Amino acid sequence: MNFKKKTSVTTVLLLLAMISYAQADRWQQRISYKMNADVNVETNIIDNNQEIVYYNNSPDKLDRIFMHLYWNAFQPGSAMDERSRWLGETEVNGKADWDARVTDRISKLSDKEIGYQKIKSLKVNGIAQKFVYHGTILEVQLSLPIQPASKATIEVESESQVPLQIRRSGRDNPKTGVRYSMSQWYPKVCEYDYEGWHPTPYVAREFYGVWGDFDVTIKIDKTYKLGGTGVLVNANEIGWGYDKPGTALKPIGTEKRTWHFLGQNVHDFVWAADPDYVHLSEKAENGTVIHVIYNAAKPDGPVDKNWQTVVDAAIKVLPFIEKNFGKYPYPQYSFIQGGDGGMEYPMATLIQSANLGTVFHEWMHSWYQMMLGTNESLFGWMDEGFTSYADDLVAKFYSGDASIDPYKKALVKNPTNEKLKDLIASLPDDHAGAYAGYYALTKSGLAEPLSTHADHFNTNYAYGISSYSKGEIFMEQLGYIVGTEMRDKILLQYYDTWKYKHPNANDFVVLAQKASGIMLDWYKMYWINTTKTIDYGVDKLTTENGKQQINLLKKGDMPMPIDVEITFADGSTEMHNIPLDLMYGNKKNENAKQSYVVEKVWQWTNPSYSFEISNSKKIAKVEIDPSKRMADVERGDNVKTF
C-alpha cells in the first residue's frame, strides 16, 4: 500500500467514525426565551413580548422559521374543531368516538370565548420579517437565512385571547373553578431536527419542543396566585409559601403583581392562576421541593386531605422512581389543579383532581417526555406507553397492590361471570389493564400500527389503546424477551444516554441491543410497524424410545421467543427457553430457584416446533409463558395437562 492510498483509507475511516458518532449523539437546536406577559383579567387578553435567542446547531442554512400558535385551534372551523366533529360521527362500542372534553364545543364559541394568538410584530436580528398564518402554525419567511453554527435573535410582540377551557388550556373551567390554565399560551418555535422542520398543526395531540431556558415574567391582578414551570425568582417579594412554607401572599400597593419564573434546560413552560388557590409544599430527601396548588372554595379553611395526600405520596414514591428510572434533576415539581384531566409539562403538571393514578402518570412524564423528549406525534407510544409502564409500577410500590387486583375484586362481586374469569386468566399481575385494553383492541378490528402519526389514527379509541396500552406492553414484553433484570438495566441506560435529547424508536432499540447482546429489530418491526398478533399453543405430548417430546404450534403472524414451563407429576418444575432465530442470543435464567434449559432456536418461518425433555419424570402439565407477559391473543391453548 502506497502512502497516498493509505492516507485515503485513513481519511475514509475517520469520516466514518465521525458519522457514526454523530448518529449516536445527534446535534440538536437550542433556544432561550425571555418573555414579559401582561394579563388583563377583565378582557382575558395577554400582551406578550418575547426575546428569543435561537441557536442553529444544525449543518443546514435556515431560510424560514415555523412557530406554533396553539390557541388558534379554539375557533369554529379550525382543524381541531373539524376533526373532533368528524370523529364524533364514528361509533366505537356504541358510543361517539370524539373526545368528550371537546365534542362540538369549539363550533359554538363566541368571539369573546374563542382563543387566538396574533402577531403584532416580528423581527429577526432587528429586521422586520414577513410571515404567513397557517391556522395554528406561523411561517416566518426570513429576509436573511440563519447560517449553520450561528444564532439569531427573534423579537415577537403578540396579543392572545384566552379561550374558554376546552382542551388542556383555557379559562373559567366549570368543573374545577380554576380561572386560568395557561398551557400552549405563547408563540413557540417549532422543532427542527435531523428530519427537518416539524410544523405540526394542533389538531388533537402531541408536542415536540426545543431544549432551552425560559425567563418568564407575568403581570397579573394582585389577588391572583400562580404556580408553574421553573423556580420563582422573586419568592421573597411574593411570599405565599414560596419564600417559606405557609406564608401568606404579601400585600402590595399596585393593582398588578409581577411573578418571575426561571426554568432551565426545559422545552416548554406552563402556568396557572386563580385568586382562590391554596399552596402546599414539602421538601423531599433529595432536596426536590414538591408544590401542590389547588383551588378551594374557602382558601383560608382547613387543608383538603386529598391534596395533602398528593404531597405525601410524591415524597414517598420519589426514591423508588429515581432508583428505577433515573434521578429527577430539577429543583422543584408542581402539581397544579387546572386543565381538563391531566397534562404534563416540564417541572409541573395540570391535573383536574387529586386522583393518585393521574398524579403518578403525569409525574412519570417528567422522565418520558420532559427529560427524554421524543417527538410525541411520531412516537406517542414511547411517551404515553413508557409513562404508563412506569406509573403502574409506581402505583404498586405506593399501595402494594398489583394492577390485576381490581379485576379480582370485581370477580368476587360477580363470581359467575365467565368472561371475567377468562379475562383474569389471560392477564399478568402487573400491567393488567394494558393487556386487557390491547386484547379488546385486537378483537375490535380497529387496531392500527404504533408508527401511525398521533393525529392520523382513524379513531380516538385506537390511538388511546395503542399509544398507552400497547406501548406499555412493549416495555413489559421486552422484559419477557431479554429478561426483567436486563430490561431494568436498559431503562436506566436509556435515561443516562438520552436525557435532555430527542431519542426515537431506533435509538431505544439500538441501545437495548447493545446492552442485552440480543437483536431486537424484528421486535420493533412487528410490534411497532404492524398490527400482527402473537398466538402460540401447546399441541401434544408424545413418548418415543423413552423420551418425552413436546410439540408447539405458532398460530399468529408475529414470532416470539417462547418460555415453556414443565410441571412434573411430583410437583417439581423446570423452565425451557426457546430463543427466536432472529434474536441471535437468548435471555438468562430469571429464577435461580428453578431449573432452566435453553433449547435450540425456533426459526420464525416454521409453524411448529418440537423438543425433548431429558428428565425421565412423568409430565403433568405444559404451559407456555406462565408469567403471561407475552401478549398472546388466545391463551386458551397455552396450557395442557396430562
Side-chain angles (χ1 to χ4, degrees):
M1 181 184 294
N2 63 37
F3 179 78
K4 186 175 181 180
K5 287 184 177 180
K6 184 177 181 181
T7 302
S8 298
V9 171
T10 302
T11 302
V12 170
L13 290 174
L14 180 61
L15 287 171
L16 287 173
M18 291 174 65
I19 292 170
S20 175
Y21 177 81
Q23 290 173 336
D25 189 11
R26 293 182 294 272
W27 57 265
Q28 58 189 41
Q29 308 293 57
R30 187 79 185 175
I31 202 163
S32 174
Y33 288 91
K34 187 171 184 178
M35 296 191 279
N36 294 286
D38 193 334
V39 184
N40 186 324
V41 298
E42 301 298 327
T43 63
N44 303 305
I45 298 295
I46 302 175
D47 290 311
N48 188 11
N49 293 328
Q50 297 172 274
E51 182 180 279
I52 305 167
V53 181
Y54 184 80
Y55 299 86
N56 181 16
N57 296 324
S58 80
D60 307 322
K61 180 174 64 176
L62 305 180
D63 57 7
R64 56 181 175 169
I65 293 173
F66 292 94
M67 303 183 77
H68 293 285
L69 303 176
Y70 290 113
W71 283 357
N72 288 350
F74 303 109
Q75 301 173 12
S78 70
M80 179 182 284
D81 177 35
E82 295 286 351
R83 177 70 169 168
S84 180
R85 286 188 284 136
W86 181 82
L87 287 172
E89 296 176 2
T90 303
E91 279 198 4
V92 175
N93 297 325
K95 297 180 180 179
D97 185 55
W98 54 22
D99 187 322
R101 294 162 294 193
V102 181
T103 62
D104 59 352
R105 292 173 62 206
I106 297 176
S107 67
K108 299 174 182 177
L109 294 176
S110 69
D111 288 346
K112 293 295 184 181
E113 295 171 333
I114 66 170
Y116 66 70
Q117 287 165 323
K118 298 177 181 178
I119 305 301
K120 297 193 290 187
S121 171
L122 195 153
K123 298 178 181 178
V124 175
N125 295 330
I127 302 172
Q129 304 294 311
K130 295 179 180 179
F131 51 84
V132 180
Y133 291 96
H134 302 282
T136 59
I137 296 296
L138 185 78
E139 178 185 358
V140 183
Q141 301 163 346
L142 299 176
S143 56
L144 293 173
I146 304 174
Q147 298 294 334
S150 69
K151 64 180 181 179
T153 300
I154 308 166
E155 297 171 272
V156 183
E157 293 182 21
S158 63
E159 176 186 293
S160 303
Q161 179 169 286
V162 187
L164 280 181
Q165 178 74 51
I166 298 286
R167 187 70 180 96
R168 297 189 175 101
S169 56
R171 62 178 174 86
D172 302 319
N173 189 330
K175 292 184 178 180
T176 62
V178 172
R179 184 78 171 96
Y180 290 118
S181 297
M182 304 298 283
S183 56
Q184 290 87 59
W185 62 280
Y186 60 95
K188 178 182 178 182
V189 178
C190 298
E191 180 64 80
Y192 183 87
D193 64 14
Y194 64 99
E195 294 180 314
W197 284 107
H198 292 272
T200 306
Y202 190 21
V203 175
R205 52 182 78 93
E206 302 283 355
F207 307 108
Y208 190 33
V210 188
W211 290 102
D213 300 323
F214 288 75
D215 186 336
V216 180
T217 58
I218 301 161
K219 288 181 66 177
I220 193 169
D221 185 280
K222 64 182 179 182
T223 63
Y224 279 70
K225 302 162 186 175
L226 273 64
T229 293
V231 174
L232 187 64
V233 176
N234 61 336
N236 289 334
E237 298 174 18
I238 299 294
W240 195 56
Y242 280 110
D243 52 348
K244 295 178 183 178
T247 58
L249 190 66
K250 293 186 177 181
I252 58 173
T254 57
E255 290 303 311
K256 287 190 175 183
R257 188 189 308 271
T258 298
W259 299 68
H260 185 187
F261 292 93
L262 184 63
Q264 296 179 301
N265 209 22
V266 294
H267 53 72
D268 205 350
F269 188 97
V270 66
W271 60 281
D274 193 279
D276 295 327
Y277 266 155
V278 173
H279 181 192
L280 310 175
S281 68
E282 189 172 337
K283 184 178 288 188
E285 288 184 8
N286 69 352
T288 302
V289 178
I290 302 298
H291 300 285
V292 170
I293 297 171
Y294 67 92
N295 195 41
K298 296 180 179 180
D300 297 327
V303 171
D304 187 308
K305 293 181 180 179
N306 292 325
W307 289 100
Q308 180 60 52
T309 298
V310 173
V311 180
D312 299 338
I315 296 294
K316 177 180 178 179
V317 302
L318 182 55
F320 174 84
I321 293 172
E322 292 196 317
K323 178 183 177 182
N324 290 279
F325 305 105
K327 180 177 173 56
Y328 182 76
Y330 300 110
Q332 71 90 30
Y333 190 83
S334 297
F335 297 94
I336 308 169
Q337 189 175 25
D340 59 4
M343 186 59 202
E344 69 280 359
Y345 297 95
M347 301 173 70
T349 184
L350 299 181
I351 52 176
Q352 190 165 292
S353 72
N355 178 277
L356 288 184
T358 304
V359 166
F360 296 147
H361 182 84
E362 302 309 329
W363 199 10
M364 287 315 305
H365 271 302
S366 291
W367 281 257
Y368 302 113
Q369 185 51 29
M370 301 309 138
M371 285 185 275
L372 296 156
T374 58
N375 182 345
E376 294 179 85
S377 294
L378 301 180
F379 308 107
W381 60 274
M382 296 179 70
D383 159 49
E384 297 296 353
F386 288 16
T387 296
S388 296
Y389 168 83
D391 77 51
D392 185 89
L393 299 181
V394 173
K396 182 180 179 181
F397 169 79
Y398 178 77
S399 66
D401 296 331
S403 61
I404 199 172
D405 287 356
Y407 295 93
K408 292 179 178 178
K409 291 175 182 177
L411 186 60
V412 171
K413 295 180 180 179
N414 300 279
T416 60
N417 189 324
E418 295 301 322
K419 287 186 177 180
L420 185 56
K421 288 180 182 179
D422 291 341
L423 176 61
I424 291 173
S426 71
L427 301 177
D429 286 342
D430 294 328
H431 315 286
Y435 282 82
Y438 169 68
Y439 293 146
L441 177 62
T442 61
K443 293 176 182 177
S444 73
L446 298 173
E448 299 177 59
L450 289 186
S451 54
T452 304
H453 188 288
D455 281 327
H456 293 265
F457 277 83
N458 290 329
T459 62
N460 282 315
Y461 173 72
Y463 163 78
I465 299 297
S466 298
S467 296
Y468 289 76
S469 300
K470 194 176 179 185
E472 182 176 348
I473 295 170
F474 172 90
M475 191 60 71
E476 178 66 357
Q477 200 166 236
L478 178 64
Y480 170 77
I481 296 169
V482 304
T484 298
E485 184 177 340
M486 176 54 64
R487 188 268 323 284
D488 295 347
K489 179 180 176 182
I490 287 167
L491 273 176
L492 287 173
Q493 284 192 13
Y494 179 52
Y495 170 86
D496 289 336
T497 303
W498 286 101
K499 62 180 181 292
Y500 310 127
K501 299 175 185 176
H502 298 298
N504 58 40
N506 194 57
D507 296 323
F508 180 85
V509 169
V510 168
L511 183 148
Q513 288 181 157
K514 290 179 179 178
S516 66
I518 292 173
M519 296 301 296
L520 296 164
D521 56 334
W522 61 272
Y523 182 45
K524 174 194 165 195
M525 186 272 288
Y526 276 100
W527 193 253
I528 306 304
N529 297 337
T530 79
T531 58
K532 295 181 179 182
T533 56
I534 303 164
D535 184 13
Y536 283 86
V538 179
D539 181 26
K540 58 186 177 182
L541 170 66
T542 59
T543 302
E544 187 174 341
N545 298 324
K547 294 285 186 179
Q548 299 177 94
Q549 182 169 287
I550 297 168
N551 194 62
L552 308 176
L553 298 176
K554 172 178 163 297
K555 301 177 179 180
D557 292 324
M558 178 173 170
M560 285 286 284
I562 303 298
D563 283 343
V564 183
E565 185 177 63
I566 311 299
T567 302
F568 298 99
D570 64 1
S572 63
T573 65
E574 63 183 30
M575 184 69 73
H576 291 249
N577 175 255
I578 305 170
L580 181 66
D581 62 330
L582 301 174
M583 294 167 58
Y584 297 95
N586 59 272
K587 72 176 173 184
K588 297 178 181 178
N589 188 8
E590 296 181 278
N591 183 0
K593 297 179 180 180
Q594 186 179 41
S595 176
Y596 187 70
V597 180
V598 178
E599 301 288 352
K600 66 181 184 297
V601 300
W602 187 336
Q603 291 184 338
W604 74 272
T605 54
N606 291 351
S608 64
Y609 178 96
S610 298
F611 65 102
E612 288 184 349
I613 303 300
S614 58
N615 198 320
S616 60
K617 296 179 184 179
K618 182 180 179 182
I619 294 175
K621 184 175 75 170
V622 176
E623 181 173 4
I624 294 174
D625 179 32
S627 72
K628 302 174 185 175
R629 291 174 294 173
M630 183 176 73
D632 191 313
V633 295
E634 294 292 345
R635 298 196 67 90
D637 57 359
N638 282 29
V639 182
K640 271 198 175 182
T641 55
F642 303 95

